[in-house]
Amino acid sequence: MNSHQQKKEKANKDLHRVSVIIPTVRRSSIEKTKAALNKQTRPADELVIVLDEERRGAAWARNEGVRRATGDLIAYTDDDCIPPHDWLEQLVRSIDEHDAAGAGGTYKETDPLLDEIRQLQTKKANHHQSAGNTGNIMYKREWLELCERQDGYVFNDSSWAPSGEDWELVWRLVNRGARLVFVDNPVIHLRKDSPMGYLRHQFGRGVSIAFLFHVQRSSPQRKPVQASLLWGQTDGARGARWLTALWQKAVGPFEIKHFTQKRFFWLFWLGSKSEGLGFLWGMVKHFFYATLLI
């Protein structure tokens, strides 16, 4: 038995059954995702690929994946991601060592613009990152089932909130006492965006922020999962800072020195405007959605 096989056997001595769920819209990159999963030091016990032919959304696909999966640990990645070879091994170990409800990390971007933006966001957050990104996450099934029993769903797939469901799930878990552990083991993200594609993505991100804003506001006595100018810090130290948020979206941001190319900065700058418009649109959508429910 060679050293690689010994390492795999040692990593697989945990007592879990691990299911990996991949929502897909037929991206060709899923073959690279599957190839990476076949080379894990701790192999998956089950791979659940959910094809979203009718484009019902990632939240629907992830919920469908939970229904099909049989593992006690549920890992999620996307069809444009390449997990590192020890991805599952590290996630399982982190959950067991910390008795956590979940563990996860972030992305290593292959697109130069997205990579520089992600590095800037990490610096602005003082390198404090949270688990919750569903391209790189693992949960104990029992916690997902708890959410389904008490809320009627795992991921919120309501029509007014087409994105942001991953962090909304994190909010519900943490506020029920779940412990989530950040694992610094990023998956490679193969997403490539044209300038217009990036601006559309940022608009959708703004809509999801509006969704998360209403989630956070629905129970203001609880601590937010992520720090934001709109709902304060994770330690509850400061409340919303609307004027600062408005200034940054209407005039800023000003971090041109963090970008290697001026066009990257200007795309980032325009993206912040698109995100702000998405937030306003999301607020309007929520108003009409809430009105219809009354």
Side-chain angles (χ1 to χ4, degrees), residues 10 17 48 67 71 110 136 141 164 189 192 233 239 265 292:
K10 182 179 179 181
R17 178 172 174 79
V48 180
R67 286 188 282 269
T110 55
N136 184 359
R141 185 187 191 94
H189 195 198
K192 299 287 184 180
Q233 304 299 301
F265 167 74
L292 290 172

Side-chain angles (χ1 to χ4, degrees), residues 133-161:
N133 190 320
T134 40
N136 184 359
I137 194 72
M138 176 183 284
Y139 291 113
K140 283 183 178 177
R141 185 187 191 94
E142 62 191 84
W143 282 94
L144 300 182
E145 290 178 341
L146 175 66
C147 287
E148 187 168 25
R149 287 196 305 271
Q150 296 188 357
D151 303 319
Y153 53 83
V154 177
F155 291 93
N156 188 333
D157 59 357
S158 64
S159 59
W160 97 269

Side-chain angles (χ1 to χ4, degrees), residues 6 42 74 197 209 215:
Q6 290 175 337
R42 196 293 182 198
I74 308 293
I209 291 172
V215 168

Side-chain angles (χ1 to χ4, degrees), residues 195-210:
M196 286 305 300
Y198 171 70
L199 295 180
R200 283 194 298 269
H201 178 83
Q202 289 303 104
F203 184 89
R205 187 172 185 272
V207 176
S208 73
I209 291 172

Side-chain angles (χ1 to χ4, degrees), residues 88-285:
L88 290 175
E89 179 184 349
Q90 286 207 33
L91 293 179
V92 172
R93 182 191 303 126
S94 295
I95 286 177
D96 284 346
E97 287 183 355
H98 298 279
D99 191 23
T106 185
Y107 291 140
K108 171 61 178 174
E109 302 288 355
T110 55
D111 184 277
L113 168 65
L114 300 180
D115 182 52
E116 291 190 15
I117 290 173
R118 188 168 294 278
Q119 290 184 45
L120 173 60
Q121 291 170 340
T122 301
K123 290 177 183 177
K124 291 172 71 174
N126 295 320
H127 299 278
H128 176 74
Q129 300 185 77
S130 304
N133 190 320
T134 40
N136 184 359
I137 194 72
M138 176 183 284
Y139 291 113
K140 283 183 178 177
R141 185 187 191 94
E142 62 191 84
W143 282 94
L144 300 182
E145 290 178 341
L146 175 66
C147 287
E148 187 168 25
R149 287 196 305 271
Q150 296 188 357
D151 303 319
Y153 53 83
V154 177
F155 291 93
N156 188 333
D157 59 357
S158 64
S159 59
W160 97 269
S163 59
E165 71 282 346
D166 46 0
W167 293 104
E168 192 266 351
L169 171 61
V170 169
W171 183 86
R172 285 183 284 126
L173 286 168
V174 169
N175 281 291
R176 286 185 171 122
R179 183 177 188 181
L180 302 180
V181 179
F182 181 80
V183 180
D184 189 12
N185 191 25
V187 303
I188 297 173
H189 195 198
L190 300 176
R191 175 184 155 205
K192 299 287 184 180
D193 264 347
S194 65
M196 286 305 300
Y198 171 70
L199 295 180
R200 283 194 298 269
H201 178 83
Q202 289 303 104
F203 184 89
R205 187 172 185 272
V207 176
S208 73
I209 291 172
F211 169 56
L212 293 172
F213 169 75
H214 285 287
V215 168
Q216 302 283 357
R217 196 174 67 167
S218 66
S219 187
Q221 75 275 12
R222 300 182 184 182
K223 293 181 180 180
V225 174
Q226 289 181 304
S228 170
L229 293 173
L230 299 181
W231 52 73
Q233 304 299 301
T234 54
D235 59 5
R238 301 184 69 173
R241 291 180 283 167
W242 285 98
L243 290 178
T244 303
L246 178 61
W247 174 260
Q248 288 193 2
K249 295 304 175 186
V251 182
F254 309 102
E255 290 93 348
I256 190 169
K257 65 180 180 180
H258 294 287
F259 291 88
T260 58
Q261 300 182 42
K262 288 184 178 179
R263 69 183 185 93
F264 284 176
F265 167 74
W266 288 114
L267 264 175
F268 173 65
W269 188 87
L270 288 172
S272 74
K273 307 299 169 284
S274 185
E275 182 183 288
L277 290 173
F279 177 79
L280 293 176
W281 175 242
M283 297 290 282
V284 171
K285 284 182 68 176

